Structures are given as C-alpha cells and as structure tokens.
C-alpha cells in the first residue's frame, strides 16, 4: 500500500464556475496510477468568474495571486492555473508573465512553488511536439476565439482553421457532451495540419474524444487539459505518460483502431 507521504500534491487554480479541470486532469493522472507507481492528490483554490467575457476574465486573473498564496500554504509541489482564455486575454505572451508573478507570490509566502498555466501548457506542448500548424475547436464567442487564434499564432504556430461554438456562460460550456469533439473536428479544415486541438479551453470537456479523433483522423489530437497534465508531469520530473491522453501523453504515439483478427 502506498504511504500518504509519497503522494505528489498538485495545486489547481480554478475559475469558480469551472468543473472540468478537476475532472479531466485527475482522471488522466488516476489512469496513470494504474500503470505507474506515482500517486497524486489534488488541492484547489477558486477565483470568481461566471461569464466568459473580457471584464470578468481580467478581474478573475487579478485574484490569481491570492489563490497561488493559498495553495502554497498546503505545500503543493506544483500549481496549475487553468483558464486558457483568461491568460490569453491579458495580452500576447502573458502566460510567461503570469507564471513569474504567481511563482513570486508563492516565494513571498515562504513556499516557492512552480506555477504553470493552461495557456502556456498548450502552446509549449505544441512547440515541443513540433506541431507548426493546427486547427482548433473553442467554446468561446468569435471575438475571444480570434484572440486565442492570434495568441497561438504569436507563439509561432499557424492556426489553419477554427470552430467557435459561441457559448458565453461558463457552466453551459462545461455541460457540453465530452464526446462531441469526436464529430465537431470534421467541420474543420485539417488538410496539411500537424494536429487538431479538440478543446482550446479547460472548461469544455473533451477527454473521451481525444483518442477517438486520433483514430478517425490519423492526426494527433490535443486539448488544454491534456497539455496541462503533460506540463504538471514535467514539473514533477515524471514520465509524460497517461492512458487516454493521446499523442501528448503517449510519447507521440497515436491511438489506433484495434486490429481485427
């Protein structure tokens, strides 16, 4: 039996209306526990946000310092700030400034902790995998989706096509069918792309669709939640492997249809 002292503590900085981050990231890491010895616990602090509009996103981001300090009280080993569009709405390249600000807050609280975010996790994972051109699915209104596209392209990754579902209410975003991206991707132009981003949002569920998309398209499928999980594992110096996470969490191997005898 694993001793509680060997568990890796993961801190989650979460929008108050977000319910998907605390579902998909633990699901991936719990699936990993079935094949590898590392064990994880999850600890959250919340920032108020109900509508995915720029004003609420900016106010929420300002509250992230409090969350980072609170989580450092629990001596977590890594913190993940999960609201991709909040980071991207604060200006190009802001994922780096956000991490630095929150790292500093944990140090000032006496427990220095690496703090990553889903925006940085997505673009860095795409870069690390060598994906230079993608098509993406977003739940946001079109102006915010355009902002996300511009942010990703500023990081050197071309967005060939995007689908904006135009859902402003964050709880409605979370209520979408997690398997829906397995069909939604077919509305995208994916000719010549290196990967499909099944959900450029940690609130829009997509985990069951990741490997379904890979099997159907023959392309790597990624999401903000899968990328955030990957960066959590990197921060903990653990192997970036988790069943159900597609190419990002399988050493670049695509999920494939089982062979029929």
């Amino acid at each position: 039996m694993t001793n509680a002292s060997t568990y890796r503590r993961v801190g989650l900085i979460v929008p108050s209306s977000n319910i998907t981050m605390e579902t998909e990231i633990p699901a991936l890491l719990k699936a990993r526990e079935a094949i590898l010895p590392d064990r994880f616990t999850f600890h959250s602090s919340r920032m108020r946000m109900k509508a995915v509009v720029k004003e609420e996103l900016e106010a929420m981001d300002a509250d992230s310092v409090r969350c980072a300090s609170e989580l450092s009280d629990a001596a977590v080993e890594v913190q993940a700030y999960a609201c991709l569009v909040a980071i991207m709405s604060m200006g190009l390249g802001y994922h780096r400034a956000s991490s630095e600000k929150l790292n500093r807050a944990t140090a000032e609280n006496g427990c220095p902790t690496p703090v990553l975010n889903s925006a940085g996790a997505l673009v860095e994972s795409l870069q690390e995998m060598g994906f230079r051109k993608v098509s993406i699915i977003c739940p946001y209104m079109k102006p915010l989706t355009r902002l996300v596209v511009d942010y990703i392209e500023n990081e050197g990754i071309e967005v060939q096509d995007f689908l904006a579902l135009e859902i402003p209410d964050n709880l409605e975003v979370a209520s979408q069918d997690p398997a829906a991206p397995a069909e939604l991707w077919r509305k995208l132009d994916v000719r010549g792309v290196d990967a499909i981003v099944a959900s450029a949002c940690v609130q829009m569920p997509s985990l069951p669709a990741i490997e379904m998309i890979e099997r159907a398209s023959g392309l790597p499928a990624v999401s903000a939640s899968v990328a955030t999980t990957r960066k959590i594992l990197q921060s903990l110096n653990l192997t970036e492997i988790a069943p159900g996470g597609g190419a990002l969490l399988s050493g670049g191997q695509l999920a494939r249809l089982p062979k029929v005898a």
Side-chain angles (χ1 to χ4, degrees):
M1 185 172 183
T2 303
N3 187 288
S5 65
T6 66
Y7 278 71
R8 312 302 297 268
R9 295 181 203 163
V10 177
L12 306 174
I13 300 176
V14 188
S16 59
S17 53
N18 185 293
I19 58 174
T20 305
M21 180 190 188
E22 293 154 307
T23 303
E24 293 196 341
I25 293 175
L28 283 164
L29 293 178
K30 290 300 180 183
R32 188 182 187 278
E33 290 182 355
I35 61 170
L36 290 167
D38 314 294
R39 297 293 179 264
F40 305 90
T41 61
F42 305 93
H43 314 275
S44 301
S45 182
R46 309 186 92 76
M47 311 164 285
R48 291 300 305 276
M49 190 272 281
K50 295 173 71 176
V52 190
V53 295
K54 200 168 190 303
E55 296 74 18
E56 284 203 34
L57 294 171
E58 289 176 352
M60 183 195 75
D61 183 71
D63 206 22
S64 62
V65 172
R66 172 188 58 80
C67 292
S69 296
E70 287 180 357
L71 287 171
S72 68
D73 287 345
V76 296
E77 295 181 68
V78 60
Q79 297 187 25
Y81 174 177
C83 189
L84 178 140
V85 74
I87 294 290
M88 292 188 177
S89 70
M90 295 294 289
L92 298 176
Y94 181 70
H95 65 279
R96 288 178 281 270
S98 173
S99 289
E100 291 171 5
K101 175 177 68 176
L102 301 185
N103 287 339
R104 186 164 58 250
T106 66
E108 290 172 354
N109 195 44
C111 188
T113 313
V115 185
L116 58 95
N117 55 67
S118 54
L122 180 61
V123 296
E124 289 168 13
S125 292
L126 294 174
Q127 291 165 344
E128 290 166 3
M129 296 293 288
F131 300 152
R132 309 308 299 172
K133 183 188 293 188
V134 299
S135 290
I136 69 175
I137 303 171
C138 294
Y140 317 119
M141 305 301 286
K142 282 186 179 177
L144 279 178
T145 301
R146 288 282 186 187
L147 183 152
V148 169
V149 169
D150 290 345
Y151 195 101
I152 292 172
E153 293 199 322
N154 185 66
E155 296 295 323
I157 300 156
E158 180 183 347
V159 178
Q160 175 159 293
D161 194 17
F162 68 85
L163 177 62
L165 301 182
E166 299 197 90
I167 307 171
D169 182 86
N170 208 35
L171 279 178
E172 187 180 348
V173 172
S175 71
Q176 301 305 297
D177 181 355
E183 293 302 322
L184 289 172
W185 76 270
R186 299 179 188 276
K187 298 181 179 182
L188 295 168
D189 178 2
V190 298
R191 292 172 296 179
V193 303
D194 299 312
I196 297 167
V197 180
S199 176
C201 172
V202 288
Q203 176 74 326
M204 188 177 87
S206 65
L207 188 56
I210 296 297
E211 294 191 348
M212 294 168 69
I213 293 171
E214 292 192 347
R215 293 185 183 102
S217 69
L219 292 165
V222 306
S223 73
S225 291
V226 170
T228 302
T229 303
R230 173 185 169 92
K231 300 307 284 188
I232 288 170
L233 290 169
Q234 286 183 355
S235 183
L236 294 172
N237 293 315
L238 298 176
T239 306
E240 300 148 21
I241 295 289
L248 281 189
L249 292 174
S250 64
Q253 298 299 309
L254 297 184
R256 301 191 184 279
L257 291 171
K259 293 182 179 179
V260 178

